[in-house]
Amino acid sequence: MAGRSGRRGFGRVRKLPSGRWQASYVAPDLVRLNAPLTFLTKGDAEGWLGLERQRIILGEWKRPEPPAPPPSVVTFSDYSASWVATRGIKPKTREGYEHLLTRYLLPTFGEQPLAAVNPADVRAWWGSMDPSTPTVRARSYALLKAVLNTALSDDLIASNPCRIRGASNTTRAREVRPATVEEITTIVDAMPERYRALVLLGAWCALRLGELLELRRGDVDVRAGTVRVERAVSQVRGRPVIGTPKSSAGTRTVAIPPHVLPSIVEHLDSFTARGKDSLLFPGADGTSSLQPSTLYKPWRAAREAAGRPDLRLHDLRHTGATMAAMAGATLAELQQRLGHSSVNAALRYQHAAQGRDRQIADALSRMTQSRE
């Protein structure tokens, strides 16, 4: 009968409702000890009791260590949050990762145990992503792969399920057409006077917007005709955060084209306070960083005046990089001028130099004419 106990000289056996047998005894420390498992037959249960009694008689008995608790299940949500928190990354990058996780990854993988994510899950998620936003799609996949690569290094998963070839790569959804010299001139003339130098430095020195907005009087060397880039400002959750440029290579000195320098000097005299730490392009209070949103309205009007409604502020940097390539800058020179940490990043602008073939041919003809 289920629940029936068998009392013996040593220990006790009991038949469970499942039909299996449980054995227990009062140990030398006067605390009852159950067998670590149940037995198929009563004889097996009694055999275990006999072995335990022998260990006590021989003085070999020790209370067994309590079993280790089962490992907690680590979800993708918990692990990815820890992954982002422990990266040595800039606040803007962290904000970007958190956005990708919240918007694109956690709805699918958040509650899944890390070890349960498989290649079929990843392919299904990838297929559900909007192909009309290739950059977001590629960055989301790259982030998922990076998180799971770290989980693999931590021995939390046996292999990385991200196996879609080329999924981290993307082509530009929008082809950037650099501005011409004439268009830059029109845009500069159409901008409010206090922002004209910003457009000139962006276009002719190929500075990032965050670098431009953190330039200070002491960064401009008028005699040498250079601007020193050591800081950048980014907007994180609507607040300015000042840090270093995008990469270590971003800290650099950039030569200002001679035809631009007089306008920079005029800007320093008219719109920049005298202290060396004074911002070149301050906000309304004269001391805080200028909010990028302040530029959008005058920028839209200026680009419309130039017939370039497609041109973004960031495209000024692309324009400056393309013109530098057309002027004959080598890959290494482009890399240094743009503050890129790899040659590959500068390589995209070399295609513009192909357009110089006619200029080169014309120059060759002029060489022969000069000898006549």
Side-chain angles (χ1 to χ4, degrees):
M1 179 181 296
R4 183 177 60 190
S5 298
R7 296 191 178 277
R8 317 166 65 256
F10 176 79
R12 183 174 68 184
V13 296
R14 183 171 72 96
K15 192 173 186 180
L16 300 173
S18 64
R20 296 183 65 85
W21 290 82
Q22 183 184 62
S24 66
Y25 63 92
V26 177
D29 59 5
L30 303 182
V31 177
R32 180 167 291 278
L33 177 66
N34 291 322
L37 45 78
T38 59
F39 303 95
L40 184 61
T41 67
K42 181 179 181 181
D44 291 339
E46 290 175 336
W48 180 81
L49 285 172
L51 292 173
E52 290 295 293
R53 184 182 184 191
Q54 185 177 11
R55 291 174 58 209
I56 293 172
I57 293 172
L58 295 175
E60 298 175 351
W61 184 90
K62 290 182 180 179
R63 176 166 286 278
E65 293 290 333
S72 58
V73 175
V74 180
T75 65
F76 180 83
S77 177
D78 291 339
Y79 189 79
S80 60
S82 173
W83 187 92
V84 171
T86 56
R87 297 298 98 180
I89 52 180
K90 295 182 180 295
K92 189 67 175 179
T93 304
R94 178 171 286 109
E95 183 186 40
Y97 284 166
E98 290 172 346
H99 169 72
L100 291 175
L101 283 167
T102 301
R103 178 70 177 82
Y104 301 105
L105 294 175
L106 295 184
T108 298
F109 302 107
E111 298 308 312
Q112 277 191 265
L114 278 175
V117 180
N118 59 53
D121 293 332
V122 175
R123 283 195 300 273
W125 164 80
W126 173 253
S128 71
M129 291 283 286
D130 185 357
S132 68
T133 56
T135 300
V136 168
R137 199 184 193 199
R139 287 177 178 173
S140 299
Y141 180 88
L143 178 58
L144 175 63
K145 186 175 182 178
V147 171
L148 294 177
N149 266 339
T150 307
L152 180 61
S153 299
D154 290 342
D155 295 325
L156 294 175
I157 56 177
S159 63
N160 193 327
C162 293
R163 301 171 190 174
I164 304 173
R165 188 182 299 275
S168 299
N169 303 324
T170 184
T171 55
R172 290 180 181 268
R174 166 185 174 274
E175 188 64 31
V176 178
R177 181 164 62 94
T180 65
V181 173
E182 293 75 16
E183 289 168 348
I184 293 171
T185 301
T186 300
I187 289 172
V188 169
D189 290 342
M191 287 290 285
E193 288 187 33
R194 64 175 54 252
Y195 301 140
R196 290 176 180 175
L198 184 146
V199 175
L200 288 168
L201 289 172
W204 291 101
C205 295
L207 302 189
R208 299 177 177 94
L209 181 58
E211 296 169 348
L212 287 165
L213 296 181
E214 186 49 32
L215 287 179
R216 298 172 186 267
R217 176 180 283 275
D219 297 323
V220 180
D221 187 333
V222 173
R223 290 185 178 180
T226 61
V227 57
R228 178 69 178 168
V229 180
E230 293 185 340
R231 297 166 307 280
V233 62
S234 59
Q235 298 295 316
V236 179
R237 295 181 177 88
R239 300 183 63 183
V241 176
I242 298 172
T244 55
K246 190 173 182 179
S247 66
S248 57
T251 300
R252 64 201 188 278
T253 299
V254 180
I256 302 171
H259 76 280
V260 173
L261 193 57
S263 297
I264 305 304
V265 172
E266 182 180 349
H267 178 87
L268 290 170
D269 291 341
S270 302
F271 301 107
T272 305
R274 292 301 167 190
K276 68 174 184 177
D277 292 327
S278 299
L279 288 163
L280 259 66
F281 310 106
D285 63 359
T287 57
S288 61
S289 297
L290 178 68
Q291 290 285 332
S293 58
T294 305
L295 294 169
Y296 293 158
K297 184 175 180 179
W299 172 256
R300 283 195 295 268
R303 70 184 184 182
E304 289 286 347
R308 288 298 308 273
D310 60 305
L311 202 66
R312 303 171 304 176
L313 270 167
H314 181 71
D315 295 340
L316 290 175
R317 174 171 165 82
H318 182 86
T319 295
T322 301
M323 289 194 297
M326 293 179 69
T330 65
L331 278 176
E333 290 165 344
L334 277 175
Q335 183 182 351
Q336 191 282 328
R337 187 169 180 82
L338 300 176
H340 282 155
S341 56
S342 71
V343 172
N344 288 338
L347 186 60
R348 73 186 66 167
Y349 300 108
Q350 279 291 308
H351 73 276
Q354 296 172 2
R356 298 180 66 245
D357 189 50
R358 170 49 52 194
Q359 299 175 35
I360 293 170
D362 292 343
L364 290 172
S365 291
R366 286 195 296 272
M367 289 171 60
T368 62
Q369 293 169 3
S370 64
R371 293 189 177 187
E372 293 177 357

